[in-house]
Amino acid sequence: EESLQMWDLNKRLEAYLARVKFLEEENEVLRAEIQSAKSSPAGDSWRAKYEEELRALRDALDHAFREKCTAELARDNLYEEVQQVKSRCQKEQAAREEAKKLLSLSKKELEEERRAQIWLKERSVQLEKEVEALLEVHEEEKAGLEQEISSFSQSLESFRCAPVAFQPVEVEDYSKRLSEIWKGAVETYKTEVSQLEGSLCQAKENLWKAVEDNQQSQLRLQHLEKDLEGLKVRKEMLEENLARQWQEQRGEAEKFQLAMEALEQEKQTLRVQIAQVLEDRQQLMHLKMSLSLEVATYR
């Protein structure tokens, strides 16, 4: 029984010695790697490199945060500018509506002026016809009076017994009165015609003014439409720039988030590896102590 125990103990001791030899060789290899890493030209360990990379990533994260703040400020400025453009568009829309109202009023005034012009033309034609008719009546009356005067003078010549002092005074007075009445009527019609011509000229001037105002309103409306189109294009460009900057910012934030997650994962992996190495060393120490006890017991 003792010989069997000694044989089992020899087998265990042999296995322990092989395990210790293997672990010592691995420890020597690790020590050599650590020494070579310490004596390398870089002069920094993996922890220093990791801290350096982590510091660089933190700086990049701070830079991205500053860029994010700058982009948000630019976005706010663009939003304010868009609001200003919207208010300006509303003002120009109101001005456009006002211009349309003025244009409609100008069109109404133009139609009224045209109607007034047509009425004045018709009135002038009617007055010309009346003047021509009065002239014809006057000529007829004048011819009739001349004929009556000539017949009356012939009848006077036939009466030789008439006194010498008799003259056709009443006929001449009547002719003078008719001439004065006719001259007054002609002057009255001339005054009315001149007034109608003045009204016609005034209506033409008002018509030209209405046409010019209409043209100016159309030009202003065209300028306002061009400004509105330009503002719409600028608004679309600003919205596209804002959306593009927002997408770029989101993409950079996602990249940095992925990088941080990768670094955190690598950090956790390194912690696990360090814990595993420490645990292996602890087990090695325990194994070495137990081996020493076994050796002492064997001895």
Side-chain angles (χ1 to χ4, degrees):
E1 186 179 358
E2 287 180 358
S3 63
L4 289 174
Q5 288 180 358
M6 289 298 293
W7 183 76
D8 188 17
L9 186 60
N10 285 328
K11 291 292 182 182
R12 289 177 64 189
L13 180 61
E14 198 176 331
Y16 284 147
L17 290 174
R19 178 69 177 170
V20 168
K21 187 176 180 181
F22 174 74
L23 290 173
E24 285 180 353
E25 289 177 356
E26 189 176 358
N27 196 7
E28 290 295 331
V29 173
L30 290 173
R31 188 179 290 110
E33 288 181 357
I34 290 170
Q35 291 296 329
S36 64
K38 286 182 179 179
S39 61
S40 62
D44 294 330
S45 63
W46 59 269
R47 189 177 183 86
K49 290 181 180 178
Y50 169 71
E51 290 178 354
E52 185 67 27
E53 290 179 359
L54 187 60
R55 191 181 300 108
L57 287 172
R58 285 176 180 173
D59 293 335
L61 185 62
D62 293 334
H63 182 67
F65 183 74
R66 288 194 295 271
E67 287 184 352
K68 181 181 178 182
C69 293
T70 305
E72 287 179 354
L73 183 61
R75 182 189 65 187
D76 295 334
N77 292 328
L78 288 173
Y79 181 75
E80 291 179 357
E81 191 171 356
V82 167
Q83 292 296 326
Q84 291 178 1
V85 169
K86 284 183 179 179
S87 62
R88 188 176 177 185
C89 288
Q90 290 176 359
K91 290 180 181 178
E92 290 186 354
Q93 187 70 26
R96 185 177 178 183
E97 294 294 332
E98 188 67 24
K100 285 183 179 180
K101 290 180 181 178
L102 292 174
L103 183 63
S104 62
L105 292 175
S106 299
K107 286 182 179 179
K108 289 180 181 179
E109 291 179 356
L110 183 63
E111 292 294 330
E112 291 178 357
E113 292 293 335
R114 286 178 180 175
R115 291 174 183 175
Q117 186 179 5
I118 292 169
W119 181 80
L120 289 173
K121 285 181 179 179
E122 292 177 355
R123 182 64 178 169
S124 62
V125 171
Q126 185 178 1
L127 289 174
E128 286 177 357
K129 290 180 178 179
E130 290 179 358
V131 168
E132 290 177 358
L134 288 173
L135 287 173
E136 290 177 359
V137 171
H138 177 67
E139 291 295 332
E140 290 177 358
E141 289 180 354
K142 188 176 180 181
L145 288 173
E146 287 178 356
Q147 188 176 1
E148 288 179 0
I149 289 169
S150 61
S151 62
F152 186 72
S153 60
Q154 289 177 3
S155 64
L156 286 175
E157 287 178 359
S158 62
F159 293 103
R160 295 179 179 179
C161 60
V164 180
F166 178 77
Q167 293 180 357
V169 180
E170 294 179 358
V171 176
E172 290 179 357
D173 291 336
Y174 182 68
S175 177
K176 287 180 180 180
R177 288 178 182 177
L178 287 176
S179 298
E180 289 176 356
I181 291 169
W182 169 248
K183 286 180 180 179
V186 169
E187 292 295 331
T188 302
Y189 281 113
K190 284 182 179 180
T191 304
E192 291 181 357
V193 169
S194 63
Q195 290 178 357
L196 290 173
E197 288 178 353
S199 301
L200 184 61
C201 293
Q202 186 69 29
K204 286 182 180 180
E205 290 178 358
N206 293 328
L207 181 62
W208 282 110
K209 287 181 180 179
V211 171
E212 290 178 356
D213 292 335
N214 189 7
Q215 292 177 357
Q216 291 179 0
S217 299
Q218 289 180 356
L219 291 174
R220 286 181 62 189
L221 185 61
Q222 290 177 359
H223 287 300
L224 289 173
E225 287 178 352
K226 288 180 180 179
D227 294 335
L228 184 61
E229 291 295 330
L231 289 173
K232 285 182 179 179
V233 172
R234 187 177 179 185
K235 180 182 176 183
E236 291 177 356
M237 290 176 64
L238 290 173
E239 289 179 352
E240 289 178 357
N241 292 326
L242 184 61
R244 186 172 62 253
Q245 290 180 1
W246 183 254
Q247 291 294 331
E248 291 177 356
Q249 184 179 357
R250 287 184 63 185
E252 291 178 356
E254 289 177 356
K255 288 180 181 178
F256 282 116
Q257 187 68 29
L258 291 174
M260 289 297 293
E261 290 177 357
L263 287 173
E264 288 293 332
Q265 189 175 1
E266 187 177 359
K267 183 178 178 182
Q268 294 295 330
T269 305
L270 290 172
R271 283 181 179 177
V272 170
Q273 290 179 0
I274 291 168
Q276 187 68 32
V277 170
L278 291 174
E279 188 177 357
D280 291 337
R281 288 187 65 185
Q282 191 71 24
Q283 289 179 0
L284 182 61
M285 291 298 293
H286 286 293
L287 184 60
K288 193 172 183 181
M289 289 175 66
S290 63
L291 183 60
S292 298
L293 292 173
E294 289 288 339
V295 170
T297 305
Y298 177 71
R299 286 177 181 175

